[in-house]
Amino acid sequence: MVLLNRLERERSLSEAEYRTLIDSACPSLAEAAAEKARRVRHEHYGHTVFVRGLIEVSNICKNDCYYCGIRKSNAACERYRLDAEDILACCEEGYTLGFRTFVMQGGEDGFFTDERLCELVRRIKARFPDCAVTLSMGERSEESYRRLFEAGADRYLLRHETAESEHYARLHPPELTLTNRMRCLADLRRIGFQTGCGFMVGSPFQTTAALAKDLKFIEQFQPDMCGIGPFIPHKDTPFAAFAAGTLEMTCFLLSLVRLICPTVLLPSTTALGTIDPNGREKGILAGANVVMPNLSPLSVRKKYMLYDGKIATGDESAQSLAQLKQRMASIGYEITVDRGDVKKG
Ligand code: 5AD
């Protein structure tokens, strides 16, 4: 409680103190953290929830991350790629529904060269000038990120996954390194993107020390956005037999991140909604202020399976925005039609 109070006041703890705080997690401490996190969130964003239309543009990926259902070695994964017309149609539908941010997320698919991706960004921005475009397309060169920014992309999401390099090496094949991940994030920030990092909760081999490093990294990097969701095993990956992360720990960490970065755009993730039917509401009540409903065509949604059980019924979808609005209203929050840019104080 002493540490939590200090975190609230100073927005900073030592790595050892973060470790102690995480190790002391219990329902009463989590509720105290959530209360503080909500207070901070209300100060900056009131009771509004920003929505992002998520378009899963491709599940083709050259990487082989051990946790991920669309890793290249998963032969059971049926691959697809949306074309520009499909993607623009998703945006069109999303715009009508009230979305003012489109997030294009995909595997590291070589088809999306700078030329193609820049052209796509330009077309979306020309057609929807009042909307923000967020990219979540993995690791690229600095030059590539610069071209995408110049084409009009506003934001970039690239979770760091874990801030501990030994842990990073147990989640990824050797060609993927924490150093390069961090290089990407630094490039994105310097270029001018609203930049998002983030990590999975309860990923295999994760220790409290690793989570403490995640929090310290977030404190130092001061991301504009931060994606935090539970690890959920996928049956066709090397991590099939591991347990999922818990709702409680995910919500506790959401609250801590809100206290560390008061104005951060913090989604209550689809994964949280997957492990608990009221997960998304619980994330909002822990201090999150963003939800990202799926705008991908129904036909491909089942194929973008990062983890087992990922909701793809239509229930999670942007089309049932009305239901989402109701769910948020039931806990006292309101979805707004807004780009939802980060507040810089
Ligand atoms: N469980 C939870 N999250 C996952 N991701 C990938 N695989 C899984 C999984 N099995 C997350 C990663 C990635 C984001 C797009 O999805 O953190 O950055």
Side-chain angles (χ1 to χ4, degrees):
M1 204 56 197
V2 176
L3 286 177
L4 188 64
N5 287 331
R6 207 165 87 239
L7 181 62
E8 180 186 29
R9 269 199 323 273
E10 298 177 3
R11 318 253 169 255
S12 167
L13 293 176
S14 72
E15 215 178 289
E17 289 166 336
Y18 281 129
R19 207 178 329 138
T20 306
L21 187 58
I22 297 164
D23 277 330
S24 359
C26 67
S28 62
L29 186 67
E31 186 42 43
E35 254 172 56
K36 291 179 193 303
R38 284 197 296 273
R39 202 181 312 141
V40 169
R41 174 253 210 264
H42 295 153
E43 232 172 79
H44 297 283
Y45 294 105
H47 286 67
T48 59
V49 174
F50 297 133
V51 284
R52 320 298 192 197
L54 181 66
I55 305 170
E56 296 158 332
V57 298
S58 169
N59 69 354
I60 298 169
C61 192
K62 66 165 197 252
N63 292 330
D64 222 10
C65 309
Y66 304 141
Y67 48 84
C68 185
I70 67 169
R71 64 199 300 267
K72 76 163 173 223
S73 296
N74 181 9
C77 175
E78 206 185 307
R79 307 289 168 171
Y80 75 90
R81 175 189 298 133
L82 300 182
D83 65 23
E85 304 314 316
D86 299 330
I87 294 168
L88 281 157
C90 291
C91 296
E92 199 71 54
E93 181 173 6
Y95 192 88
T96 308
L97 289 164
F99 289 89
R100 295 298 177 267
T101 290
F102 303 117
V103 181
M104 284 194 277
Q105 183 175 96
E108 290 190 20
D109 176 352
F111 177 84
F112 287 104
T113 58
D114 295 344
E115 287 71 23
R116 289 190 175 118
L117 203 47
C118 286
E119 174 62 16
L120 190 55
V121 170
R122 276 192 291 267
R123 285 182 70 183
I124 297 174
K125 292 295 284 193
R127 175 74 188 81
F128 308 99
D130 55 335
C131 292
V133 168
T134 304
L135 297 175
S136 176
M137 307 282 294
E139 298 184 354
R140 304 174 76 95
S141 68
E142 178 182 12
E143 169 66 12
S144 169
Y145 289 144
R146 196 173 296 282
R147 291 175 68 179
L148 293 167
F149 186 72
E150 280 161 9
D154 302 274
R155 311 188 186 124
Y156 204 103
L157 300 173
L158 183 69
R159 290 190 180 178
H160 64 283
E161 312 297 356
T162 172
E164 191 181 66
S165 52
E166 304 79 50
H167 186 214
Y168 197 93
R170 299 185 79 169
L171 300 180
H172 302 96
E175 58 275 17
L176 293 172
T177 63
L178 183 58
T179 310
N180 195 48
R181 220 8 104 107
M182 294 299 179
R183 187 274 303 162
C184 291
L185 284 166
D187 287 348
L188 290 162
R189 153 66 49 82
R190 188 167 359 88
I191 289 165
F193 282 102
Q194 290 177 44
T195 304
C197 63
F199 60 93
M200 290 179 288
V201 178
S203 61
F205 318 113
Q206 187 175 58
T207 58
T208 310
L211 283 171
K213 279 204 163 66
D214 289 321
L215 295 183
K216 197 64 189 176
F217 167 64
I218 288 163
E219 178 195 312
Q220 289 166 342
F221 186 67
Q222 290 289 317
D224 303 295
M225 306 168 282
C226 189
I228 300 174
F231 161 76
I232 303 173
H234 185 292
K235 61 180 181 0
D236 302 315
T237 65
F239 290 168
F242 283 89
T246 68
L247 175 96
E248 291 73 19
M249 187 49 85
T250 306
C251 287
F252 184 50
L253 290 162
L254 284 171
S255 299
L256 299 186
V257 168
R258 171 62 65 202
L259 294 177
I260 295 167
C261 299
T263 60
V264 74
L265 296 165
L266 195 60
S268 186
T269 58
T270 307
L272 205 48
T274 302
I275 59 167
D276 185 299
N278 297 114
R280 272 177 314 181
E281 289 90 323
K282 290 174 183 170
I284 297 293
L285 289 169
N289 66 331
V290 173
V291 287
M292 301 173 67
N294 203 318
L295 267 183
S296 311
L298 256 178
S299 56
V300 306
R301 223 176 271 173
K302 280 185 282 302
K303 298 180 189 163
Y304 198 83
M305 278 290 166
L306 302 180
Y307 44 80
D308 285 339
K310 182 166 164 277
I311 335 172
T313 53
D315 216 49
E316 77 294 0
S317 73
Q319 290 79 356
S320 42
L321 199 61
Q323 192 203 327
L324 191 61
K325 278 184 182 152
Q326 227 162 42
R327 280 168 167 260
M328 292 299 138
S330 77
I331 55 166
Y333 289 85
E334 188 188 16
I335 286 179
T336 55
V337 176
D338 191 291
R339 272 176 53 122
D341 287 296
V342 72
K343 289 221 161 65
K344 282 287 164 193

